[in-house]
Amino acid sequence: MFGVDPTKLFILAVLAAFLLGPTRMTAAAAWLGATVRQLRAFTEAAKQRARDEIGEEFDDIPWKALDPRQYNPRRIIADAILAPPTVPQGVDPPANPAPRPSVPAPTAPFPDDR
């Protein structure tokens, strides 16, 4: 839960008890409970709406694969660079591919344009 283990949660609760005091603690706990219930109701409503709009395929979607925490741009670029070149379907690869033109190396990092 947001990277908060039980020890940190206990420390936060004790700190809140000291800061809020016994009179405001009950109101704060009631507010926190109502906020969590509203958040759960909102997420359930959003999930149900998505399920209604997408239809039967909703349960077939690989949600774990779509997790943005799995996005690693370095791995994606390395896979793209190291992957063999692909030829689109229906196109025959050329027998003798044309050589790529060579680009001359710059003589100086910043040429003088005077």
Side-chain angles (χ1 to χ4, degrees), residues 1-16:
M1 178 176 85
F2 305 115
V4 180
D5 60 356
T7 306
K8 291 179 184 175
L9 193 61
F10 177 74
I11 291 172
L12 286 173
V14 170
L15 186 63

Side-chain angles (χ1 to χ4, degrees), residues 38-59 61 63-64:
Q38 286 178 345
L39 185 61
R40 283 186 182 169
F42 174 74
T43 56
E44 285 299 319
K47 188 187 297 185
Q48 185 61 39
R49 182 174 177 186
R51 182 174 276 122
D52 292 343
E53 290 184 8
I54 293 175
E56 296 175 359
E57 297 88 20
F58 182 83
D59 295 326
I61 297 174
W63 294 109
K64 296 286 184 188

Side-chain angles (χ1 to χ4, degrees), residues 13-85:
V14 170
L15 186 63
F18 279 117
L19 291 176
L20 294 176
T23 56
R24 290 185 287 176
M25 190 65 164
T26 55
W31 174 83
L32 182 63
T35 304
V36 169
R37 279 191 297 276
Q38 286 178 345
L39 185 61
R40 283 186 182 169
F42 174 74
T43 56
E44 285 299 319
K47 188 187 297 185
Q48 185 61 39
R49 182 174 177 186
R51 182 174 276 122
D52 292 343
E53 290 184 8
I54 293 175
E56 296 175 359
E57 297 88 20
F58 182 83
D59 295 326
D60 298 336
I61 297 174
W63 294 109
K64 296 286 184 188
L66 299 175
D67 187 4
R69 292 175 288 187
Q70 295 178 359
Y71 174 73
N72 184 352
R74 291 181 181 168
R75 181 183 50 82
I76 292 171
I77 292 172
D79 291 346
I81 291 173
L82 299 175

